[in-house]
Amino acid sequence: MKKKDTKIGRNDTCPCGSGKKYKKCCGTKGIRKPVDRSSQYARQNNIRLKTPADIEMIRRAGLVALDILDKVGTIIQPGITTEEINTLVHEETLAQHASPAPLNYRGFPKSVCISINEVICHGIPGPRVLNDGDIVNVDVTPILEGYYADANQMFFVGTTGPDAQKIVNVARQCLKAGIDMVRPGNTIGDIGWAIQQLAEGQGCSVVREFVGHGVGFEFHEPPQVPHFGQRGQGVKLVPGMVFTIEPMINLGGRHLKILDDQWTAVTTDGSLSAQFEQTLLVTETGVESLTPYEL
């Protein structure tokens, strides 16, 4: 005679003898609890993933950054001073009900970083005049309702020579190569590897001392995003991560020095340097730029 199967209900007493209901005892074995990715990344990497509401606010701040950079592009010409650019950035930021993150950040005295020719980054606006043939980077970070978006672009001043054209073009390609590596499952190292391969393949060098970074809740957050590295190394990318990619590429050697103002970084050999930056979101299927402009 075939023995009748007895099915245990979830609310039945667990047959193990614990006296508990089956659903709260042996009935839970083998059931994998879903991973709370936000808590996991916060605990393991100090990375705060962004919610859809957070992302929308960073996207709005990104639109402010793009509008400011567009307006900067209309005034770039020989004879203008970097102080005039700073005034425009400051006034336009306030006009859009935002505030400029660089101003007074760790003592930085202006509302925007402006870096010309051999200046790699963190150039302080002042009386310096833009000359025909210069290349200039303008780096803006508006704070809108507590959310940050970070972006920069290169501009040609008048008629530029072949070296200027080359370094700006390579820097642009490097940002694009880095963005192309952003998708779930890839790593921070994949981004740096792609940038380094492209830059060095063009006979240029990658600055090591300054890197991309998490952004959104603060000006600078984890993770750091080096623009050099090895494939498969570093933190794995997951949806909700927001960070900048901002490769600083030199026409000559990669080494730098900091000027007496304690901010301005310049190439040691005096070679030209260029940089493009966007704020990126890792999506479920790939990447979205929250400060999108054509590369």
Side-chain angles (χ1 to χ4, degrees), residues 241-260:
M241 289 177 69
V242 176
F243 51 80
T244 69
I245 301 178
E246 46 185 299
M248 286 147 270
I249 309 300
N250 297 346
L251 192 63
R254 69 175 180 84
H255 298 289
L256 61 80
K257 60 182 179 181
I258 306 297
L259 300 187
D260 291 341

Side-chain angles (χ1 to χ4, degrees), residues 77-129:
Q77 61 182 342
I80 194 173
T81 67
T82 54
E83 184 60 45
E84 290 175 273
I85 299 172
N86 180 77
T87 298
L88 181 147
V89 169
H90 184 83
E91 292 178 350
E92 288 295 331
T93 304
L94 297 184
Q96 299 200 45
H97 309 289
S99 57
L103 184 61
N104 298 320
Y105 177 76
R106 297 182 179 178
F108 191 81
K110 299 291 181 176
S111 296
V112 60
C113 296
I114 302 176
S115 303
I116 304 171
N117 296 337
E118 77 285 355
V119 179
I120 295 169
C121 61
H122 302 157
I124 301 174
R128 183 169 177 174
V129 175

